[in-house]
Amino acid sequence: MVSVLNTIDTTHEDMIHDAQMDYYGTKLATCSSDKNVKIFEVRGGQQTLVATLSGHDGPVWQVAWSHPMFGSLLASCGYDRKVIVWKDTNGSWSKLHEYSSHDSSINSVSWAPHELGIMLACASSDGSISIISTTGDGAWDSKKINNAHTIGCNTVSWAPALTPNSVLGGQNQESYVKRIVSGGCDNNVRIWRQHDGEWEEECKLDGHSDWVRDVAWAPSIGIGKDMIASCGQDCRVLIWTNEGDSWTSTTLNTFSDVVWHVSWSMMGNMLAVSGGDNKVSVWKQELNGGWASVSDMSDRD
Amino acid sequence: MKVKSISRTANIAWSPAEQHPIYLAAGTAAQQLDASFSTSSTLELFSIDLGDQDDQAQLSKSIEIDQRLHKLVWGRHGSSGGGTLVGGTDNGKVLLWSAADLFSGKESLLHCFEEHQGAVSALDVNSFQPNLVASGAGNSDIFIWDLNSIGSKSEPMTPGTKSQPLDDVTCLQWNRQVQHILGSTYAGRSVVWDLRKSEPIIKITDSMSRIKSKILEWHPDVSTQLCLASDDDHSPIIQMWDLRFLTSPIRTLEGHNRGLLSLAWCSQDSELLLSCGKDNRILCWNPHSQVQNGEIVYELPNTTQWAFDLAWCPRNPAVFSSCSFDGNISIYSLLGKPSAPTSAPSVIDQSFPNQANDPFVMPTQPQQTKSSSVMLKKAPKWLKRPCGASFGFGGKLVVFKKQPAPSPQQAPQRLVTTYQITTETDFVQKAEILESTLYQGGLPELCVANSENSSNKNDEELWRFIGVHFGAEPRVNFLRLLGFDSTTIQNQVNKFVGPSNKPESMVEQVTNKVNQLQVNEAPGTDAFDQIAASGAASSVGSSTQSSRANSPLTFCTEEAKAEGLATRCLLTANVESAVDVCLHTEKFAEALLLAVAGGSDLLRRTQKTVLQKVATPFTRLLYSVITHDLGSVIETCDLSQWKEALALVITYAKPNEFSIMCDNLGKRLQESGQISDAALCYVCAGNVNSTVACLQSRLALNEIVEVVSVLHKAMLNTQRSDSSVLLGKALSNTLSQYCHLLVSEGKLKTAYNFLDMSNDEAISLLKERIYRFLSASDPQTLRGLSKPQTPFKSYDVKAERKQGAVAQGPGQTAVGQPKNYRQNNYTSSPAPSYGQGYIQTSVYDPNVSNYRQQTPAFAQPVSNYAPPVSNYTPVPSYSQPSSYGQPSSMYTPTTLSNYNPGVMTSQPAYNVAQTTVVSSHNYTPNFSTTLGAQTNNYHQGSNPIQNTDMGIASYAKRKIRSRENSISDNQQSIPPNIFQPAPQTETMPPPMANPPMGMSHSYQDNRPEQAWNDPPPVRQMKPASTIPAPIMTPMPSMGHPQQEMPAPGAPTSFNPTGVFQPTSSQDVAPPPAPVQQPTPEPEQKGPIPEQHEPLQTTFDALRKVCSEKAYSNQMRRKMDEVGRKLEVLYDKLRANSLSENVTHGLHEIINCAKVGDYKTAVAYHSHLATTTNFTEVGSFLPAIKSLLQSADNLGVQL
């Protein structure tokens, strides 16, 4: 069942490329080809534009909210080869950090699980992935995975800090894993793991026959296994699962158009799929392991 | 970015979009020489694996062909998959190959059409009907072949009568939107055919286009538009035509220096058109751009050879190929990492090593080198995510989509819609019922209902047991549930013993009698002892009674017999000995009866002995009961009789040990695998955690939570031990999962109500999250609930040194963070800078008064900021710094962290530094001295505290840096440029020596702080007005400092128009800076000597009134002019450069004017004009005359 809660006219002057709720679901950030990021406050069905963040020189592709532990931080990335981290201090937004060490469009930005500290990964059309981090004292450190995806990396997503097996186990710092999954123009999904401070490729998931547009690692909260959704230019959504030490894929569905975006629900039990044909659908895993569409929002507006 | 190369001189065709993996077919190009002068010809297939990092494409198949090719196309026709390759040869043949057969190594040539004459250099496959291939060659011949009827000997179709005059067909292309439209070019003209009408519908001749079009490229989306280009060096342009408006091209793209050889229009983004020409350049245009002569969005770097063919990869939108005459096929990606210049030596170069004047090799053009670091200016369409849905907290789905424009004139609305997703209606409904029951009562009924509705016996029992907790006398009810209903038992006993018996009365009698025998009875013996005793006695008693009834009492006196001995003992009140005797002779009943009389000690001992001797299960039970050793029963009982054991506990356990005993029994049962039974024990114990541990595998999540919450509630009601009230880790996880599910169904309030049961970390996190959400969205629901603690430690992420607020929300004035002010104090930062909040206000508040209102607010966070406020008055000048930040927007932030009150006082030091720099660069003396003078005055005038230690330090630092580092000097010169209307984002005005890249680079080197200090000279402006003497003649040379020299700190504010012009630069961080209130010019100058002040007052007053009364624009303009001339007069007055004669005359004039006697005033004026030196008064006297005359005409009375 799907019901419309509200609709916001963002007043962006060009296409919107991303819209994300913050941790508490009380703020909405949007970004657009008009180079701006906008922040809305959502209060009881009413939305107010609270800030317009200008700092990018080109289309802004993605925005990502940090965990509130680090204050209200928003990361944005764009065609101008920049990642900007914005900070909200009592309603006043300022630029906290700007990272511009990529040679091409930065297509995706993603915060690490809060257990890992202030850390984010970004994926660029120059084929590389950067992992930038700070201890909060103002100095930022960066690590780069060069040539992660030849001719372009489109997307990056973090694994939960706790592996499904360790959820109930000890939670000391050592048990946290730093893993990311990325997708790119080489049609591959790749998993990277930090080992002795360096990022190494853990495995390559070969399944798509065209550009991988988006990947999303499922949250570990509701499911006892590692699960990744990937989608792409080949109009398919693949679900990758790992219950032991190998990944297997199942095709969630083949759509009629390019699939641009996949997003897990907080429990990892639902997946929202957005296609180039303007269609959004929500899928849910059934008891037999298959996936079924629970609602299709395309006919609703 | 070059991704692959193939060393071939060949015509190529990409595999169709459906084909995966991607292949490139290459057929040896006709009329090209190979290094080996080989005349062989091949058709090859290369696999283009973009994931492979090898830059050489992998050759996968190769076959010999008879003829070299002029053109090669690859259509998707054919049933076998892989499609069909079509090649046009030198001698009029059109060859067909099956790609699938090529791959498999079979004979692949399908057919050969031989109808053409001359070279077949035009070929195209219809994209709607891939069986239709158009070919063009000499004699204006265009044929359309149907690949479905190969070999049927049928004549090919023609699109219509041959175009006259007969010419070679140079290019053919099917329309990309309408399948029956075919475009063609001949030498010098283009013809568009409609195949349904079999005739040319449109002809663009060279007299219309004025180019000899050789190439035609249809618009990928707009069916009526096409581009034409010519290889003629005299017209190296691309024309874009719309067939509906044939009078002239709608756009002309000019950029190539020599004739064009190929065009390729990206089918996935029609704003990308590739072209290559004989000038070696490969350009990418945005043909839709309104920029005059076309906008080049990208130029491929490092191309040194003519490319004669370009083609987009149909499958991968960013990838295209170029074939060049140097024997290379290159595959590029428009995005990706800019490759280092790699100029593979041409194959032909190697064959002819001494070709000094190779006409193909042109010197690399300078802009090509530059462009190597520049990316595609415009973001390609295929990067633009059109639609997306992301989950948020609480099952919200945030969705944005492409919105259609309501009309071509209106921009579409950019909407974001939030949906609530609910999928588990049943689950939610149950949760809500449970929630309301928990909070509004009805739990016993719920338990009853659940047990009645349950599908299996286990659940039924479970719910019955849980329900007991809510009733009165739970123990009795537990017993009943275990099958030990006391009434039933009584009935059974009655039945067993017989209705006539009155056991109670008998027991009473016996007890009484026995009691009479007691010698020294200890009071308050254990109740159970009595029960046991009476139980034992009753069986004994009944026999005694019957014997008594039948015969008279006789004493047994036989000493030898035990009975006799016992009798004797009894008679002597030696109870203990009597008991011993009885025990010895195994007269247990008698022993016990006697022991009752002998006191509790004796009784206990006797019981023990009896029970030891009579080792039946029943006696063991008796013993446990009597000794209250329930623990051993629990430990040792046969688990098949757990019910009895439990009943025993329920009946006899003391309240404080009840739970533990139940738990222990449960544990044993659980260990032995009797999970359901264990659960019941735990339920009796009220142990929520253990109960659920047993149920985990059996019940669904919501059932578990139901059990948990009901049982939990029961425990709260009865206020049992705390340990069972708070949930354990495992249960908290279960609960957290349940609540997360509820949350993701949007039932946050319901979920919240379940979270009180645990204070586990995950639960607290969720609790706080829900609270925060509800307090924003629905505060009503939180009434009466306390705000949970934030369950995590918050970090304050510090800003870098260079920070600033850039955001502008409605009504938001970004005021710097007080914390930062305090933390990053002056000493920690090498270069002081202005408070960010300050800049914000001054930049964005269009008027000063507004600014003033802001100031106190800003001063608030830092108390010691307040005093310098007055010094901050030079508002307008501050607009500069933030605009300065534009080229690299990270620049603006500098301010945020570094605000410090000390800035103000140390500032003068910078001014000095600035001046030093200026002079060291030999600027016009006039400029620097004026600046210097001003600076010094400023120091003395308004800044009593001159050089703080830091001031000096940074001065020194500054000076060194400035001298050593010319880059920084250049940088400093940049700000003025920014204020010129800048059309482009990244580009600097041409005079700038520094390319934009250099600039942004140096910004990253933390240069900003340094450059940030530039503005000081600007700040002097306002204070200068308070200083008496130095005359500031308007300095035209300073109006455009950037044209002269990269002057460090060139004070833009000298050119107010420059400053206040909103720049058109695109990356202005905030909305284009609202115009500052320009500082009125007089303010910049010193006051007029006192004795002459009336002159100024009167003239100005006259002028003002005249302006107001002026009835025509002409007159107003005249008054403006008068005003300017008067300024000259005032300047002269200030400088005391007028002779007394003149000033005297002027005073006479104003005296008359003041009283309205303009006639006399004019007379004085005339006198003055005739008696003074014209050079002295010529600059202002005519203006005074106009003023007087106007005032007279208008009847002005002061």
Side-chain angles (χ1 to χ4, degrees), chain B residues 662-706:
Chain B
C662 293
D663 266 357
N664 288 342
L665 182 60
K667 250 176 236 158
R668 277 192 69 204
L669 286 166
Q670 200 178 355
E671 278 159 18
S672 75
Q674 289 171 265
I675 305 292
S676 312
D677 303 336
L680 294 182
C681 292
Y682 290 136
V683 169
C684 294
N687 184 335
V688 182
N689 291 309
S690 303
T691 308
V692 173
C694 295
L695 301 173
Q696 207 96 40
S697 57
R698 195 173 92 205
L699 298 183
L701 183 62
N702 59 329
E703 292 171 317
I704 291 175
V705 172
E706 200 171 10

Side-chain angles (χ1 to χ4, degrees), chain A residues 1-10 12-21 23-26 28 30 33 35 42-44 49-55 57 59 61-62 67-71 73 79 81-82 87 89 91-98 100 103-105 107 118 125-126 136-138 140 147 150-151 168 171 186-187 209-211 213 221-222 260-261 263-267 269-272 274-276 278 280 282 284 294 297-298 301, chain B residues 1 3 20 50-53 268 315-319 333 335-338 373 375-393 396-402 413-424 729 733 737 740-741 743-745 761 765 768-769 772-773 775-777 792-800 803-810 812 814-815 817 887-890 893 896 985-986 1004 1066-1069:
Chain A
M1 201 176 76
V2 178
S3 49
V4 177
L5 291 180
N6 60 51
T7 298
I8 306 175
D9 183 356
T10 59
H12 276 298
E13 286 160 16
D14 206 334
M15 279 171 83
I16 300 175
H17 298 303
D18 201 8
Q20 296 287 341
M21 286 290 219
Y23 176 87
Y24 293 112
T26 56
L28 173 72
T30 61
S33 268
K35 305 176 185 176
V42 186
R43 285 196 174 274
L49 176 66
V50 290
T52 299
L53 311 180
S54 309
D57 296 331
W61 300 135
Q62 283 191 12
H67 190 274
M69 186 182 277
F70 310 121
L73 302 185
Y79 187 68
R81 301 177 277 188
K82 283 194 249 179
K87 185 182 181 185
T89 314
S92 148
W93 283 87
S94 56
K95 207 186 272 186
L96 185 74
H97 179 60
E98 183 170 300
S100 48
D103 296 317
S104 191
S105 172
N107 302 319
I118 311 163
S125 280
D126 67 10
D137 60 357
W140 288 72
N147 231 333
T150 331
I151 74 160
L168 298 177
Q171 295 192 0
D186 59 357
N187 308 349
S209 59
D210 210 331
W211 286 16
R213 284 291 185 183
I221 212 167
W260 282 85
H261 185 44
S263 168
W264 289 103
S265 69
M266 214 172 60
M267 292 286 288
N269 60 342
M270 284 187 276
L271 186 75
S274 322
N278 241 2
V280 170
V282 176
K284 193 162 191 176
V294 289
M297 262 146 283
S298 49
D301 44 8
Chain B
M1 174 194 182
V3 286
H20 173 76
L50 297 168
D52 173 19
Q53 288 168 17
Q268 301 194 42
R315 189 173 178 87
N316 195 329
V319 171
S333 167
L335 300 172
K337 194 177 183 132
S373 58
M375 60 194 290
L376 181 62
K377 264 199 255 171
K378 157 198 166 306
K381 200 174 161 188
W382 62 79
L383 281 184
K384 297 188 173 180
R385 183 150 83 186
C387 164
S390 299
F391 274 105
F393 184 60
K396 310 272 180 296
L397 190 66
V398 182
V399 178
F400 64 90
K401 291 178 176 181
K402 266 182 300 202
Q413 277 192 314
R414 313 291 173 179
L415 303 178
V416 171
T417 306
T418 310
Y419 295 89
Q420 178 70 54
I421 307 287
T422 9
T423 53
E424 306 273 3
K729 179 81 188 163
N733 281 337
Q737 199 177 348
H740 270 110
L741 264 178
V743 165
S744 65
E745 298 286 321
E761 189 191 343
L765 278 171
E768 195 247 3
R769 205 169 172 182
R772 288 277 296 263
F773 178 89
S775 65
S777 64
F792 44 78
K793 183 178 159 242
S794 289
Y795 292 81
D796 182 33
V797 185
K798 304 284 189 308
E800 288 161 297
Q803 298 305 334
V806 222
Q808 280 301 292
Q812 174 186 353
V815 174
Q817 195 189 358
S888 142
S889 46
M890 60 193 276
L896 175 77
T985 338
E986 305 177 275
Q1004 288 160 16
Q1066 292 175 309
D1067 57 346
V1068 184

Side-chain angles (χ1 to χ4, degrees), chain A residues 183-213:
Chain A
C185 302
D186 59 357
N187 308 349
N188 286 322
V189 171
R190 291 172 199 264
I191 295 172
W192 312 84
R193 174 194 282 269
Q194 199 192 43
H195 189 256
D196 290 340
E198 293 304 315
W199 286 86
E200 304 170 345
E201 182 171 329
E202 185 176 280
C203 66
K204 182 175 101 176
L205 309 180
D206 189 2
H208 285 282
S209 59
D210 210 331
W211 286 16
V212 178
R213 284 291 185 183

Side-chain angles (χ1 to χ4, degrees), chain A:
Chain A
M1 201 176 76
V2 178
S3 49
V4 177
L5 291 180
N6 60 51
T7 298
I8 306 175
D9 183 356
T10 59
T11 66
H12 276 298
E13 286 160 16
D14 206 334
M15 279 171 83
I16 300 175
H17 298 303
D18 201 8
Q20 296 287 341
M21 286 290 219
D22 75 341
Y23 176 87
Y24 293 112
T26 56
K27 283 192 208 125
L28 173 72
T30 61
C31 63
S32 151
S33 268
D34 72 1
K35 305 176 185 176
N36 287 329
V37 171
K38 287 181 191 261
I39 313 283
F40 297 85
E41 214 157 71
V42 186
R43 285 196 174 274
Q46 296 291 307
Q47 320 79 34
T48 352
L49 176 66
V50 290
T52 299
L53 311 180
S54 309
H56 282 286
D57 296 331
V60 189
W61 300 135
Q62 283 191 12
V63 286
W65 291 96
S66 74
H67 190 274
M69 186 182 277
F70 310 121
S72 213
L73 302 185
L74 182 77
S76 60
C77 66
Y79 187 68
D80 62 353
R81 301 177 277 188
K82 283 194 249 179
V83 167
I84 300 179
V85 179
W86 310 86
K87 185 182 181 185
D88 174 15
T89 314
N90 306 320
S92 148
W93 283 87
S94 56
K95 207 186 272 186
L96 185 74
H97 179 60
E98 183 170 300
Y99 177 75
S100 48
S101 301
H102 280 287
D103 296 317
S104 191
S105 172
I106 301 180
N107 302 319
S108 179
V109 66
S110 169
W111 288 100
H114 66 91
E115 294 93 335
L116 305 182
I118 311 163
M119 184 178 279
L120 49 85
C122 51
S124 165
S125 280
D126 67 10
S128 60
I129 298 168
S130 290
I131 291 94
I132 61 177
S133 59
T134 180
T135 52
D137 60 357
W140 288 72
D141 185 36
S142 72
K143 286 242 170 6
K144 212 169 197 176
I145 306 173
N146 282 312
N147 231 333
H149 295 269
T150 331
I151 74 160
C153 186
N154 294 330
T155 167
V156 63
S157 169
W158 286 85
L162 295 165
T163 55
N165 308 329
S166 69
V167 169
L168 298 177
Q171 295 192 0
N172 53 345
Q173 191 67 38
E174 286 71 37
S175 70
Y176 293 139
V177 281
K178 287 183 185 153
R179 278 204 291 179
I180 53 175
V181 59
S182 63
C185 302
D186 59 357
N187 308 349
N188 286 322
V189 171
R190 291 172 199 264
I191 295 172
W192 312 84
R193 174 194 282 269
Q194 199 192 43
H195 189 256
D196 290 340
E198 293 304 315
W199 286 86
E200 304 170 345
E201 182 171 329
E202 185 176 280
C203 66
K204 182 175 101 176
L205 309 180
D206 189 2
H208 285 282
S209 59
D210 210 331
W211 286 16
V212 178
R213 284 291 185 183
D214 201 9
V215 289
W217 205 307
S220 62
I221 212 167
I223 41 175
K225 58 191 173 191
D226 271 316
M227 196 146 78
I228 293 172
S230 65
C231 66
Q233 208 70 14
D234 62 359
C235 307
R236 289 191 301 155
V237 172
L238 301 181
I239 305 291
W240 305 86
T241 44
N242 187 343
E243 277 165 286
D245 43 21
S246 69
W247 290 90
T248 50
S249 75
T250 50
T251 304
L252 177 128
N253 191 31
T254 304
F255 294 83
S256 58
D257 205 333
V258 176
V259 185
W260 282 85
H261 185 44
V262 283
S263 168
W264 289 103
S265 69
M266 214 172 60
M267 292 286 288
N269 60 342
M270 284 187 276
L271 186 75
V273 177
S274 322
D277 51 4
N278 241 2
K279 282 186 180 160
V280 170
S281 50
V282 176
W283 298 74
K284 193 162 191 176
Q285 191 161 27
E286 294 176 319
L287 290 175
N288 62 11
W291 291 82
S293 169
V294 289
S295 59
D296 189 347
M297 262 146 283
S298 49
D299 48 347
R300 288 182 180 269
D301 44 8

Side-chain angles (χ1 to χ4, degrees), chain B residues 459-480:
Chain B
D459 289 355
E460 191 184 327
E461 277 192 322
L462 179 73
W463 280 109
R464 282 203 186 137
F465 271 75
I466 295 174
V468 165
H469 280 295
F470 294 97
E473 297 189 38
R475 287 199 188 191
V476 176
N477 289 313
F478 280 136
L479 275 181
R480 200 175 48 229

